[in-house]
mmCIF file of all heavy atoms in Angstrom:
data_model
loop_
_atom_site.group_PDB
_atom_site.id
_atom_site.type_symbol
_atom_site.label_atom_id
_atom_site.label_comp_id
_atom_site.label_asym_id
_atom_site.label_seq_id
_atom_site.Cartn_x
_atom_site.Cartn_y
_atom_site.Cartn_z
ATOM 1 N N GLY A 18 -10.090 -3.627 17.535
ATOM 2 C CA GLY A 18 -10.103 -2.940 18.830
ATOM 3 C C GLY A 18 -11.400 -2.224 19.133
ATOM 4 O O GLY A 18 -11.863 -2.220 20.276
ATOM 5 N N GLY A 19 -12.001 -1.609 18.124
ATOM 6 C CA GLY A 19 -13.261 -0.893 18.340
ATOM 7 C C GLY A 19 -14.390 -1.787 18.818
ATOM 8 O O GLY A 19 -15.006 -1.524 19.861
ATOM 9 N N PRO A 20 -14.687 -2.856 18.083
ATOM 10 C CA PRO A 20 -15.733 -3.766 18.567
ATOM 11 C C PRO A 20 -15.389 -4.441 19.892
ATOM 12 O O PRO A 20 -16.290 -4.729 20.685
ATOM 13 C CB PRO A 20 -15.833 -4.818 17.453
ATOM 14 C CG PRO A 20 -15.357 -4.118 16.247
ATOM 15 C CD PRO A 20 -14.289 -3.180 16.716
ATOM 16 N N LEU A 21 -14.117 -4.657 20.156
ATOM 17 C CA LEU A 21 -13.721 -5.243 21.432
ATOM 18 C C LEU A 21 -14.055 -4.306 22.589
ATOM 19 O O LEU A 21 -14.581 -4.732 23.621
ATOM 20 C CB LEU A 21 -12.221 -5.552 21.403
ATOM 21 C CG LEU A 21 -11.653 -6.405 22.523
ATOM 22 C CD1 LEU A 21 -12.272 -7.789 22.485
ATOM 23 C CD2 LEU A 21 -10.156 -6.498 22.389
ATOM 24 N N ALA A 22 -13.793 -3.012 22.403
ATOM 25 C CA ALA A 22 -14.137 -2.035 23.430
ATOM 26 C C ALA A 22 -15.655 -1.901 23.577
ATOM 27 O O ALA A 22 -16.167 -1.778 24.700
ATOM 28 C CB ALA A 22 -13.514 -0.684 23.100
ATOM 29 N N LEU A 23 -16.384 -1.939 22.475
ATOM 30 C CA LEU A 23 -17.845 -1.883 22.557
ATOM 31 C C LEU A 23 -18.420 -3.111 23.249
ATOM 32 O O LEU A 23 -19.386 -3.010 24.002
ATOM 33 C CB LEU A 23 -18.441 -1.740 21.155
ATOM 34 C CG LEU A 23 -18.250 -0.386 20.495
ATOM 35 C CD1 LEU A 23 -18.801 -0.407 19.077
ATOM 36 C CD2 LEU A 23 -18.897 0.716 21.300
ATOM 37 N N LEU A 24 -17.831 -4.250 23.007
ATOM 38 C CA LEU A 24 -18.250 -5.467 23.694
ATOM 39 C C LEU A 24 -18.021 -5.339 25.193
ATOM 40 O O LEU A 24 -18.824 -5.812 26.000
ATOM 41 C CB LEU A 24 -17.495 -6.670 23.132
ATOM 42 C CG LEU A 24 -17.887 -8.042 23.648
ATOM 43 C CD1 LEU A 24 -19.315 -8.358 23.245
ATOM 44 C CD2 LEU A 24 -16.954 -9.085 23.099
ATOM 45 N N GLY A 25 -16.932 -4.680 25.562
ATOM 46 C CA GLY A 25 -16.679 -4.431 26.978
ATOM 47 C C GLY A 25 -17.721 -3.521 27.600
ATOM 48 O O GLY A 25 -18.150 -3.737 28.738
ATOM 49 N N LEU A 26 -18.148 -2.501 26.862
ATOM 50 C CA LEU A 26 -19.205 -1.625 27.365
ATOM 51 C C LEU A 26 -20.512 -2.380 27.562
ATOM 52 O O LEU A 26 -21.218 -2.178 28.550
ATOM 53 C CB LEU A 26 -19.421 -0.455 26.407
ATOM 54 C CG LEU A 26 -18.358 0.626 26.422
ATOM 55 C CD1 LEU A 26 -18.621 1.635 25.321
ATOM 56 C CD2 LEU A 26 -18.306 1.304 27.769
ATOM 57 N N VAL A 27 -20.827 -3.259 26.631
ATOM 58 C CA VAL A 27 -22.029 -4.080 26.773
ATOM 59 C C VAL A 27 -21.905 -4.990 27.987
ATOM 60 O O VAL A 27 -22.859 -5.158 28.753
ATOM 61 C CB VAL A 27 -22.277 -4.900 25.487
ATOM 62 C CG1 VAL A 27 -23.342 -5.956 25.692
ATOM 63 C CG2 VAL A 27 -22.660 -3.969 24.357
ATOM 64 N N ALA A 28 -20.721 -5.556 28.189
ATOM 65 C CA ALA A 28 -20.515 -6.454 29.326
ATOM 66 C C ALA A 28 -20.646 -5.709 30.647
ATOM 67 O O ALA A 28 -21.154 -6.260 31.620
ATOM 68 C CB ALA A 28 -19.146 -7.121 29.231
ATOM 69 N N VAL A 29 -20.226 -4.461 30.694
ATOM 70 C CA VAL A 29 -20.310 -3.694 31.938
ATOM 71 C C VAL A 29 -21.742 -3.280 32.238
ATOM 72 O O VAL A 29 -22.241 -3.472 33.339
ATOM 73 C CB VAL A 29 -19.387 -2.458 31.883
ATOM 74 C CG1 VAL A 29 -19.682 -1.500 33.014
ATOM 75 C CG2 VAL A 29 -17.937 -2.881 31.950
ATOM 76 N N PHE A 30 -22.418 -2.710 31.245
ATOM 77 C CA PHE A 30 -23.698 -2.080 31.520
ATOM 78 C C PHE A 30 -24.908 -2.985 31.315
ATOM 79 O O PHE A 30 -25.930 -2.790 31.961
ATOM 80 C CB PHE A 30 -23.858 -0.815 30.677
ATOM 81 C CG PHE A 30 -22.895 0.263 31.073
ATOM 82 C CD1 PHE A 30 -21.892 0.661 30.217
ATOM 83 C CD2 PHE A 30 -22.973 0.855 32.314
ATOM 84 C CE1 PHE A 30 -20.999 1.643 30.573
ATOM 85 C CE2 PHE A 30 -22.081 1.835 32.698
ATOM 86 C CZ PHE A 30 -21.096 2.232 31.824
ATOM 87 N N VAL A 31 -24.828 -3.955 30.432
ATOM 88 C CA VAL A 31 -25.988 -4.807 30.164
ATOM 89 C C VAL A 31 -25.899 -6.116 30.940
ATOM 90 O O VAL A 31 -26.840 -6.503 31.633
ATOM 91 C CB VAL A 31 -26.121 -5.063 28.647
ATOM 92 C CG1 VAL A 31 -27.255 -6.020 28.356
ATOM 93 C CG2 VAL A 31 -26.328 -3.754 27.906
ATOM 94 N N VAL A 32 -24.767 -6.796 30.847
ATOM 95 C CA VAL A 32 -24.615 -8.101 31.474
ATOM 96 C C VAL A 32 -24.199 -7.967 32.939
ATOM 97 O O VAL A 32 -24.405 -8.876 33.725
ATOM 98 C CB VAL A 32 -23.599 -8.959 30.678
ATOM 99 C CG1 VAL A 32 -23.484 -10.355 31.239
ATOM 100 C CG2 VAL A 32 -23.989 -9.015 29.222
ATOM 101 N N ASP A 33 -23.648 -6.816 33.294
ATOM 102 C CA ASP A 33 -23.223 -6.501 34.657
ATOM 103 C C ASP A 33 -22.081 -7.405 35.134
ATOM 104 O O ASP A 33 -22.109 -7.948 36.235
ATOM 105 C CB ASP A 33 -24.409 -6.570 35.623
ATOM 106 C CG ASP A 33 -24.126 -5.838 36.921
ATOM 107 O OD1 ASP A 33 -23.326 -4.883 36.887
ATOM 108 O OD2 ASP A 33 -24.697 -6.224 37.955
ATOM 109 N N THR A 34 -21.106 -7.588 34.278
ATOM 110 C CA THR A 34 -19.867 -8.262 34.665
ATOM 111 C C THR A 34 -18.747 -7.227 34.578
ATOM 112 O O THR A 34 -18.144 -7.030 33.535
ATOM 113 C CB THR A 34 -19.559 -9.460 33.754
ATOM 114 O OG1 THR A 34 -19.545 -9.021 32.411
ATOM 115 C CG2 THR A 34 -20.582 -10.556 33.921
ATOM 116 N N GLY A 35 -18.518 -6.555 35.678
ATOM 117 C CA GLY A 35 -17.631 -5.399 35.693
ATOM 118 C C GLY A 35 -16.190 -5.695 35.347
ATOM 119 O O GLY A 35 -15.587 -4.993 34.543
ATOM 120 N N SER A 36 -15.610 -6.724 35.931
ATOM 121 C CA SER A 36 -14.184 -6.977 35.699
ATOM 122 C C SER A 36 -13.919 -7.444 34.268
ATOM 123 O O SER A 36 -12.948 -7.030 33.647
ATOM 124 C CB SER A 36 -13.660 -8.003 36.696
ATOM 125 O OG SER A 36 -14.363 -9.228 36.556
ATOM 126 N N LEU A 37 -14.791 -8.279 33.748
ATOM 127 C CA LEU A 37 -14.630 -8.726 32.361
ATOM 128 C C LEU A 37 -14.820 -7.561 31.401
ATOM 129 O O LEU A 37 -14.059 -7.398 30.448
ATOM 130 C CB LEU A 37 -15.626 -9.839 32.034
ATOM 131 C CG LEU A 37 -15.652 -10.312 30.587
ATOM 132 C CD1 LEU A 37 -14.336 -10.969 30.220
ATOM 133 C CD2 LEU A 37 -16.808 -11.247 30.362
ATOM 134 N N GLY A 38 -15.808 -6.746 31.646
ATOM 135 C CA GLY A 38 -16.053 -5.596 30.785
ATOM 136 C C GLY A 38 -14.906 -4.609 30.811
ATOM 137 O O GLY A 38 -14.512 -4.078 29.768
ATOM 138 N N ALA A 39 -14.375 -4.356 32.010
ATOM 139 C CA ALA A 39 -13.243 -3.430 32.104
ATOM 140 C C ALA A 39 -12.029 -3.974 31.371
ATOM 141 O O ALA A 39 -11.311 -3.221 30.700
ATOM 142 C CB ALA A 39 -12.905 -3.182 33.569
ATOM 143 N N ALA A 40 -11.795 -5.266 31.460
ATOM 144 C CA ALA A 40 -10.671 -5.870 30.754
ATOM 145 C C ALA A 40 -10.863 -5.771 29.243
ATOM 146 O O ALA A 40 -9.904 -5.496 28.506
ATOM 147 C CB ALA A 40 -10.517 -7.331 31.172
ATOM 148 N N LEU A 41 -12.092 -5.974 28.772
ATOM 149 C CA LEU A 41 -12.351 -5.876 27.337
ATOM 150 C C LEU A 41 -12.208 -4.441 26.841
ATOM 151 O O LEU A 41 -11.672 -4.205 25.757
ATOM 152 C CB LEU A 41 -13.749 -6.397 27.011
ATOM 153 C CG LEU A 41 -13.928 -7.908 27.079
ATOM 154 C CD1 LEU A 41 -15.396 -8.270 26.903
ATOM 155 C CD2 LEU A 41 -13.091 -8.590 26.031
ATOM 156 N N ILE A 42 -12.679 -3.482 27.624
ATOM 157 C CA ILE A 42 -12.546 -2.076 27.237
ATOM 158 C C ILE A 42 -11.079 -1.691 27.146
ATOM 159 O O ILE A 42 -10.632 -1.106 26.154
ATOM 160 C CB ILE A 42 -13.293 -1.165 28.233
ATOM 161 C CG1 ILE A 42 -14.792 -1.367 28.111
ATOM 162 C CG2 ILE A 42 -12.946 0.299 27.995
ATOM 163 C CD1 ILE A 42 -15.592 -0.697 29.199
ATOM 164 N N LEU A 43 -10.319 -2.012 28.170
ATOM 165 C CA LEU A 43 -8.888 -1.679 28.154
ATOM 166 C C LEU A 43 -8.148 -2.414 27.040
ATOM 167 O O LEU A 43 -7.271 -1.849 26.394
ATOM 168 C CB LEU A 43 -8.258 -1.992 29.504
ATOM 169 C CG LEU A 43 -8.643 -1.054 30.648
ATOM 170 C CD1 LEU A 43 -8.036 -1.531 31.950
ATOM 171 C CD2 LEU A 43 -8.209 0.355 30.333
ATOM 172 N N GLY A 44 -8.499 -3.660 26.822
ATOM 173 C CA GLY A 44 -7.874 -4.419 25.748
ATOM 174 C C GLY A 44 -8.161 -3.821 24.380
ATOM 175 O O GLY A 44 -7.274 -3.723 23.539
ATOM 176 N N GLY A 45 -9.388 -3.402 24.161
ATOM 177 C CA GLY A 45 -9.748 -2.784 22.894
ATOM 178 C C GLY A 45 -9.028 -1.468 22.672
ATOM 179 O O GLY A 45 -8.518 -1.188 21.585
ATOM 180 N N ILE A 46 -8.968 -0.648 23.728
ATOM 181 C CA ILE A 46 -8.277 0.643 23.614
ATOM 182 C C ILE A 46 -6.785 0.431 23.371
ATOM 183 O O ILE A 46 -6.183 1.096 22.526
ATOM 184 C CB ILE A 46 -8.534 1.496 24.868
ATOM 185 C CG1 ILE A 46 -9.998 1.930 24.897
ATOM 186 C CG2 ILE A 46 -7.616 2.707 24.912
ATOM 187 C CD1 ILE A 46 -10.421 2.585 26.185
ATOM 188 N N LEU A 47 -6.182 -0.498 24.085
ATOM 189 C CA LEU A 47 -4.762 -0.773 23.895
ATOM 190 C C LEU A 47 -4.480 -1.345 22.503
ATOM 191 O O LEU A 47 -3.446 -1.048 21.906
ATOM 192 C CB LEU A 47 -4.251 -1.724 24.971
ATOM 193 C CG LEU A 47 -4.082 -1.109 26.351
ATOM 194 C CD1 LEU A 47 -3.704 -2.185 27.364
ATOM 195 C CD2 LEU A 47 -3.041 -0.018 26.328
ATOM 196 N N PHE A 48 -5.401 -2.141 21.992
ATOM 197 C CA PHE A 48 -5.232 -2.702 20.652
ATOM 198 C C PHE A 48 -5.233 -1.597 19.610
ATOM 199 O O PHE A 48 -4.399 -1.575 18.697
ATOM 200 C CB PHE A 48 -6.348 -3.713 20.372
ATOM 201 C CG PHE A 48 -6.024 -4.689 19.289
ATOM 202 C CD1 PHE A 48 -5.410 -5.883 19.600
ATOM 203 C CD2 PHE A 48 -6.326 -4.420 17.969
ATOM 204 C CE1 PHE A 48 -5.095 -6.789 18.610
ATOM 205 C CE2 PHE A 48 -6.020 -5.311 16.974
ATOM 206 C CZ PHE A 48 -5.399 -6.503 17.287
ATOM 207 N N VAL A 49 -6.161 -0.645 19.742
ATOM 208 C CA VAL A 49 -6.218 0.469 18.799
ATOM 209 C C VAL A 49 -4.980 1.339 18.925
ATOM 210 O O VAL A 49 -4.375 1.732 17.920
ATOM 211 C CB VAL A 49 -7.506 1.297 19.016
ATOM 212 C CG1 VAL A 49 -7.470 2.587 18.219
ATOM 213 C CG2 VAL A 49 -8.729 0.488 18.615
ATOM 214 N N CYS A 50 -4.569 1.641 20.155
ATOM 215 C CA CYS A 50 -3.381 2.481 20.347
ATOM 216 C C CYS A 50 -2.128 1.820 19.793
ATOM 217 O O CYS A 50 -1.292 2.486 19.171
ATOM 218 C CB CYS A 50 -3.198 2.802 21.832
ATOM 219 S SG CYS A 50 -4.464 3.899 22.472
ATOM 220 N N THR A 51 -1.993 0.528 20.000
ATOM 221 C CA THR A 51 -0.839 -0.189 19.477
ATOM 222 C C THR A 51 -0.845 -0.197 17.954
ATOM 223 O O THR A 51 0.195 0.010 17.318
ATOM 224 C CB THR A 51 -0.823 -1.634 20.012
ATOM 225 O OG1 THR A 51 -0.826 -1.598 21.434
ATOM 226 C CG2 THR A 51 0.387 -2.381 19.526
ATOM 227 N N GLY A 52 -2.006 -0.408 17.366
ATOM 228 C CA GLY A 52 -2.097 -0.387 15.908
ATOM 229 C C GLY A 52 -1.771 0.978 15.326
ATOM 230 O O GLY A 52 -1.100 1.082 14.296
ATOM 231 N N MET A 53 -2.196 2.030 15.991
ATOM 232 C CA MET A 53 -1.881 3.380 15.516
ATOM 233 C C MET A 53 -0.386 3.665 15.670
ATOM 234 O O MET A 53 0.204 4.305 14.808
ATOM 235 C CB MET A 53 -2.703 4.417 16.277
ATOM 236 C CG MET A 53 -4.183 4.317 16.021
ATOM 237 S SD MET A 53 -4.624 4.446 14.290
ATOM 238 C CE MET A 53 -4.150 6.120 13.955
ATOM 239 N N LEU A 54 0.209 3.202 16.741
ATOM 240 C CA LEU A 54 1.634 3.392 16.942
ATOM 241 C C LEU A 54 2.444 2.638 15.883
ATOM 242 O O LEU A 54 3.394 3.184 15.312
ATOM 243 C CB LEU A 54 2.030 2.923 18.344
ATOM 244 C CG LEU A 54 3.474 3.136 18.760
ATOM 245 C CD1 LEU A 54 3.789 4.616 18.821
ATOM 246 C CD2 LEU A 54 3.715 2.492 20.108
ATOM 247 N N VAL A 55 2.046 1.414 15.597
ATOM 248 C CA VAL A 55 2.744 0.632 14.581
ATOM 249 C C VAL A 55 2.609 1.289 13.210
ATOM 250 O O VAL A 55 3.572 1.356 12.442
ATOM 251 C CB VAL A 55 2.194 -0.825 14.559
ATOM 252 C CG1 VAL A 55 2.636 -1.557 13.316
ATOM 253 C CG2 VAL A 55 2.624 -1.554 15.804
ATOM 254 N N SER A 56 1.424 1.802 12.912
ATOM 255 C CA SER A 56 1.245 2.444 11.601
ATOM 256 C C SER A 56 2.044 3.751 11.506
ATOM 257 O O SER A 56 2.556 4.089 10.436
ATOM 258 C CB SER A 56 -0.232 2.704 11.324
ATOM 259 O OG SER A 56 -0.733 3.691 12.187
ATOM 260 N N ALA A 57 2.152 4.476 12.611
ATOM 261 C CA ALA A 57 2.946 5.710 12.597
ATOM 262 C C ALA A 57 4.427 5.402 12.409
ATOM 263 O O ALA A 57 5.128 6.110 11.677
ATOM 264 C CB ALA A 57 2.725 6.490 13.882
ATOM 265 N N ILE A 58 4.909 4.348 13.050
ATOM 266 C CA ILE A 58 6.322 3.975 12.916
ATOM 267 C C ILE A 58 6.587 3.462 11.504
ATOM 268 O O ILE A 58 7.628 3.771 10.916
ATOM 269 C CB ILE A 58 6.696 2.926 13.982
ATOM 270 C CG1 ILE A 58 6.713 3.588 15.362
ATOM 271 C CG2 ILE A 58 8.047 2.302 13.681
ATOM 272 C CD1 ILE A 58 6.880 2.611 16.506
ATOM 273 N N SER A 59 5.655 2.694 10.952
ATOM 274 C CA SER A 59 5.894 2.129 9.624
ATOM 275 C C SER A 59 5.821 3.178 8.522
ATOM 276 O O SER A 59 6.354 2.954 7.439
ATOM 277 C CB SER A 59 4.885 0.996 9.354
ATOM 278 O OG SER A 59 3.593 1.528 9.237
ATOM 279 N N ARG A 60 5.189 4.301 8.771
ATOM 280 C CA ARG A 60 5.147 5.378 7.771
ATOM 281 C C ARG A 60 6.465 6.125 7.684
ATOM 282 O O ARG A 60 6.714 6.793 6.703
ATOM 283 C CB ARG A 60 4.035 6.365 8.100
ATOM 284 C CG ARG A 60 2.692 5.895 7.700
ATOM 285 C CD ARG A 60 1.665 6.983 7.924
ATOM 286 N NE ARG A 60 0.389 6.540 7.395
ATOM 287 C CZ ARG A 60 -0.455 7.322 6.791
ATOM 288 N NH1 ARG A 60 -0.197 8.592 6.651
ATOM 289 N NH2 ARG A 60 -1.581 6.847 6.329
ATOM 290 N N ARG A 61 7.268 6.045 8.710
ATOM 291 C CA ARG A 61 8.537 6.773 8.721
ATOM 292 C C ARG A 61 9.499 6.061 7.870
ATOM 293 O O ARG A 61 10.063 5.925 7.057
ATOM 294 C CB ARG A 61 9.102 6.858 10.126
ATOM 295 C CG ARG A 61 8.158 7.583 11.029
ATOM 296 C CD ARG A 61 8.699 7.732 12.394
ATOM 297 N NE ARG A 61 9.086 9.134 12.485
ATOM 298 C CZ ARG A 61 10.095 9.578 13.180
ATOM 299 N NH1 ARG A 61 10.833 8.755 13.837
ATOM 300 N NH2 ARG A 61 10.366 10.843 13.244
#
Side-chain angles (χ1 to χ4, degrees):
L21 191 63
L23 288 176
L24 185 64
L26 286 174
V27 169
V29 167
F30 293 113
V31 176
V32 184
D33 198 28
T34 55
S36 60
L37 175 65
L41 287 173
I42 291 170
L43 288 176
I46 291 171
L47 286 174
F48 201 90
V49 170
C50 291
T51 303
M53 295 303 294
L54 184 64
V55 166
S56 68
I58 289 172
S59 68
R60 281 186 174 217
R61 299 182 106 213

